[in-house]
Amino acid sequence: MTEAGLTMLNRTADNVARATPEPLAKRIRGISDKGLAWLFISPTILLLLAINIFPLFWAIYLSFTNYRANRPNEAVKNLGLANYRRILGDQDIWIAMQTTAHFVFWTILLQTVIGFTLAWLIDRKFRGHAFWTTIILVPMMLSPAVVGNFWRFLYEPQIGLFAYAVSFLTGIPPTNVQMLSNVELAPWAIIIVDTWMWTPYVMLICLAGLRSIPEYIYEAAEVDRASNWRQFWSITLPMALPFIMLAVLFRGIENFKMFDMVNLLTGGGPGSTTEVASITLKRQAFESWRTGYSSAFAIILFVAVFGLANIYVKALNKVKQR
Amino acid sequence: MSLTTAHSVVAPSSNAKRIAGALVVGYALISIVPLLWIFATSFKTPPDSIAYPPKIVFQPSIEGYCNLFTTRTRQTPEYINALGPATGFCDETVRKRNMVIAGPSNFLPRFVNSLIIAFGSTFCAVFLGTLSAYGFSRFKVPLADDLLFFILSTRFMPPIAVAIPIYLMYREIGLSDTALGMILLYTAVNVSLAVWLLKGFIDEIPREYEEAAMIDGYTRLQAFWRTVLPQATTGIAATAIFCLIFAWNEYAFAALLTSGTAQTAPPFIPTIIGEGGQDWPAVAAGTTIFLVPILVFTILLRKQLLRGITFGAVRK
């Protein structure tokens, strides 16, 4: 090999060496990747430990005691499982749980049926559908408390718009449309507001589900001369089902915790007909100041939501895999 | 020939479209009525607001807004005449009803509290959320899935249930009824959403950007700052707005943990009382002012909405 040839080869080798990066790790100055990962994640974890987990363990501890937050100087007695036993034997707690279940059932049923129907109609992409979809979405973005409070005004039998509309449509005198003080109607007053507010939420998720169904499946069905009805039951509904179930999961968890709307519309009344679990919890904890007892109830509720959500997610995953 | 080119067989007929449109528009119009009614009521006089049948046509008045921002006392006409000319627009308006303005109301401080707490907690949640999301997205974190589920599960707890121990904890360390306490609490509640949403956004930014930057001699931190952050701005903005909406609308914690100095608008607005019951025009005025920012955000956010409400579980 000639001299020139050798130099050229050397130069090429040099170039190759220069172009090939050294292992990345060597080039990183300062903190290692692992250190950086912890530096980035730990503040969030620490905050959650301080504001979520520490209070949770405190609540677990309190649930075994007779502590009362309004008497901080009183000696705290350990009661063992007595609080839990009393809750499970307490008639009022079971009624509150039934009321909660009643609300969760009806709100989810109405929101799912109306929400899915709306999504299915909007999916037809009629003229101006984007504008009207945005209008429909507005209620869910607002504060449930602030809007719920105003619904109290709409429900007023003598002066409210709701009573007027009902009496206009049905001929019942407006003074008889006692939505909030009638034992039979009060739960429905809350269900109506919750449905008004959260149907758009279900609609939005269902819409995403419908949009995710590929067009060619319908084309194939059309070629096979499947009726519209058949297409709906065999394609649309099953393909959108995981999305519907996701919406039901989110609404279920939220409505199990329902507080603001009930507190402002009826405060649990009349009597205790609309007293959902959160309202009972608030009464026990912040009105009767039975801190230990209410902590035990809170833990039971948490375990219930967590357990039900987990079972449900398993079912959801099964549907997804199908 | 493709089925979709000339004439799509699956496209709904124009008649079906029209019926669907009419139904949806009908629902939208009914569902917007309560909001329009709030807006209309805020411009009514108190007698007009409780007239029956409800007044659709009325003489607009700013009395509701005057009553929202001021406290009034009823006085005799002689007393009011002795006061001399009215000192302002509001003064003049309330004098028509034999009232004089005694001073400012609590609405403005409560509204300012809402602003401070909502924006403060949003900033903190997005800041922490961005760092954590980047950490989870780009590094091998041990037990990453468990940690992410743990972060999400903090949302399962009913607010009232957490409120008891937080109330006790805040009382011990002097954070009860302070803006700082509420900011910390809302940050903790929002950070789970922020981490989940932002992780989705950051996962979509190709790693090659940072690798290229690091080959150019940037450190990991510089690469994050110069390549990932600018790419993630849309995602960060959308996340921020969702956190803001939550903190802005939150009621349960605010009602139980604040009573005076740090109280936000949602628990305050329902307590606005006029003479002999709730002063509905003032409540409507407060509600309207409180809702406007969120209405604006809703319209800006239409496209990101789905991700935000499903924790990014549904991508669009």
Side-chain angles (χ1 to χ4, degrees):
Chain A
M1 201 175 277
T2 62
E3 186 83 359
L6 256 180
T7 341
M8 219 159 90
L9 203 69
N10 272 339
R11 209 177 290 143
T12 318
D14 268 351
N15 281 341
V16 169
R18 221 173 292 139
T20 314
E22 296 169 44
L24 273 183
K26 271 194 192 165
R27 290 196 146 238
I28 296 162
R29 286 166 300 215
I31 326 165
S32 72
D33 267 15
K34 205 176 169 194
L36 208 59
W38 282 113
L39 190 70
F40 275 21
I41 291 165
S42 53
T44 301
I45 302 292
L46 288 177
L47 180 76
L48 288 175
L49 285 175
I51 309 273
N52 277 96
I53 301 308
F54 177 66
L56 179 65
F57 278 96
W58 196 342
I60 293 175
Y61 158 73
L62 288 176
S63 72
F64 296 113
T65 68
N66 65 345
Y67 181 75
R68 282 166 174 270
N70 62 338
R71 297 182 202 157
N73 298 325
E74 224 167 65
V76 178
K77 245 196 338 218
N78 190 339
L79 299 178
L81 287 170
N83 281 333
Y84 288 91
R85 232 176 279 135
R86 266 169 62 207
I87 286 166
L88 296 177
D90 188 334
Q91 199 67 35
D92 292 346
I93 296 268
W94 283 108
I95 292 172
M97 292 302 272
Q98 267 174 27
T99 311
T100 311
H102 181 256
F103 276 120
V104 171
F105 174 79
W106 282 107
T107 52
I108 285 187
L109 184 72
L110 288 171
Q111 288 164 28
T112 312
V113 171
I114 304 174
F116 180 79
T117 311
L118 280 175
W120 186 68
L121 292 172
I122 288 171
D123 201 33
R124 253 113 275 269
K125 297 203 170 118
F126 54 87
R127 240 162 56 115
H129 68 99
F131 172 78
W132 294 107
T133 311
T134 309
I135 296 282
I136 290 177
L137 290 177
V138 169
M140 68 171 245
M141 307 299 286
L142 308 175
S143 170
V146 174
V147 181
N149 175 58
F150 201 82
W151 268 87
R152 212 153 42 84
F153 176 57
L154 298 177
Y155 277 143
E156 286 275 337
Q158 302 282 353
I159 55 177
L161 188 65
F162 186 88
Y164 178 73
V166 169
S167 107
F168 185 82
L169 291 174
T170 62
I172 301 167
T175 40
N176 286 3
V177 190
Q178 305 268 357
M179 289 302 283
L180 295 176
S181 50
N182 181 310
V183 174
E184 299 281 315
L185 294 177
W188 288 99
I190 292 164
I191 292 170
I192 289 172
V193 183
D194 196 78
T195 305
W196 168 75
M197 186 140 192
W198 295 111
T199 296
Y201 182 98
V202 179
M203 181 202 81
L204 199 59
I205 300 177
C206 289
L207 195 56
L210 293 174
R211 297 263 160 94
S212 75
I213 304 173
E215 190 90 339
Y216 67 84
I217 299 185
Y218 288 109
E219 285 161 8
E222 202 73 27
V223 170
D224 291 343
R225 295 183 180 279
S227 67
N228 283 342
W229 192 241
R230 184 69 207 273
Q231 285 182 25
F232 179 80
W233 285 106
S234 311
I235 303 170
T236 313
L237 209 53
M239 299 275 285
L241 192 60
F243 290 83
I244 299 171
M245 286 181 75
L246 193 68
V248 169
L249 173 71
F250 285 121
R251 281 318 308 149
I253 292 178
E254 283 304 310
N255 277 351
F256 199 85
K257 305 192 291 188
M258 190 196 302
F259 175 71
D260 20 27
M261 215 108 86
V262 184
N263 196 38
L264 280 161
L265 280 170
T266 63
S272 58
T273 38
T274 59
E275 189 169 314
V276 291
S278 288
I279 299 282
T280 308
L281 199 51
K282 184 204 113 189
R283 284 194 177 165
Q284 294 290 343
F286 290 93
E287 281 164 25
S288 308
W289 294 102
R290 299 164 76 188
T291 314
Y293 185 73
S294 55
S295 295
F297 187 36
I299 301 294
I300 291 177
L301 279 181
F302 179 57
V303 171
V305 180
F306 206 81
L308 287 175
N310 267 319
I311 295 169
Y312 188 88
V313 169
K314 288 222 170 78
L316 178 66
N317 283 335
K318 248 184 213 152
V319 171
K320 262 190 187 163
Q321 278 158 14
R322 233 186 16 209
Chain B
M1 194 189 87
S2 158
L3 278 165
T4 44
T5 44
H7 158 74
S8 169
V9 283
V10 286
S13 72
S14 59
N15 229 359
K17 264 192 187 188
R18 230 169 284 141
I19 295 168
L23 288 170
V24 171
V25 170
Y27 179 89
L29 290 176
I30 292 172
S31 87
I32 209 73
V33 164
L35 295 172
L36 294 177
W37 200 249
I38 293 175
F39 186 70
T41 307
S42 77
F43 287 102
K44 286 182 180 175
T45 59
D48 273 355
S49 75
I50 54 171
Y52 193 88
K55 276 198 174 178
I56 295 177
V57 183
F58 56 92
Q59 182 76 39
S61 154
I62 55 147
E63 197 173 329
Y65 290 88
C66 293
N67 290 352
L68 176 68
F69 283 101
T70 60
T71 53
R72 294 87 43 214
T73 53
R74 181 171 286 282
Q75 299 292 350
T76 56
E78 297 78 45
Y79 179 93
I80 292 172
N81 281 335
L83 282 178
T87 49
F89 205 54
C90 270
D91 199 18
E92 202 176 312
T93 310
V94 301
R95 277 187 189 190
K96 284 180 196 155
R97 230 167 282 290
N98 287 337
M99 306 237 211
V100 288
I101 288 170
S105 76
N106 269 338
F107 179 71
L108 205 58
R110 301 302 184 254
F111 192 79
V112 171
N113 279 342
S114 270
L115 286 174
I116 294 171
I117 292 170
F119 279 93
S121 67
T122 300
F123 176 80
C124 297
V126 171
F127 179 74
L128 294 179
T130 311
L131 292 184
S132 301
Y134 182 75
F136 280 116
S137 176
R138 292 298 196 262
F139 302 115
K140 273 214 178 76
V141 180
L143 300 173
D145 285 345
D146 293 322
L147 278 177
L148 279 169
F149 183 72
F150 156 69
I151 290 173
L152 183 66
S153 69
T154 55
R155 285 219 161 192
F156 286 165
M157 203 70 167
I160 315 290
V162 212
I164 307 161
I166 287 177
Y167 171 83
L168 296 174
M169 187 170 93
Y170 275 14
R171 199 168 68 180
E172 289 296 313
I173 54 180
L175 277 177
S176 56
D177 206 9
T178 61
L180 179 65
M182 294 311 283
I183 290 176
L184 282 175
L185 179 58
Y186 287 170
T187 306
V189 178
N190 266 335
V191 82
S192 53
L193 174 75
V195 171
W196 275 72
L197 272 181
L198 284 165
K199 185 176 175 295
F201 283 115
I202 292 175
D203 279 344
E204 277 165 22
I205 303 168
R207 286 159 180 265
E208 283 75 28
Y209 286 124
E210 292 143 272
E211 277 162 16
M214 286 193 287
I215 288 165
D216 286 347
Y218 289 126
T219 63
R220 176 64 96 159
L221 214 54
Q222 284 167 330
F224 166 68
W225 185 255
R226 304 212 176 189
T227 65
V228 179
L229 272 191
Q231 294 280 324
T233 27
T234 333
I236 291 173
T239 308
I241 292 176
F242 281 113
C243 293
L244 195 66
I245 289 176
F246 169 81
W248 187 252
N249 286 343
E250 208 284 329
Y251 169 76
F253 285 129
L256 296 171
L257 299 176
T258 66
S259 49
T261 47
Q263 195 185 41
T264 53
F268 174 75
I269 291 173
T271 66
I272 300 170
I273 299 289
E275 286 198 321
Q278 199 123 37
D279 182 350
W280 288 109
V283 172
T287 308
T288 306
I289 292 177
F290 187 74
L291 299 184
V292 166
I294 298 304
L295 285 180
V296 173
F297 285 136
T298 312
I299 292 159
L300 292 177
L301 241 146
R302 283 188 322 276
K303 297 204 172 112
Q304 312 284 351
L305 217 54
L306 193 60
R307 236 186 173 169
I309 62 171
T310 59
F311 276 87
V314 175
R315 299 263 163 83
K316 223 185 166 181

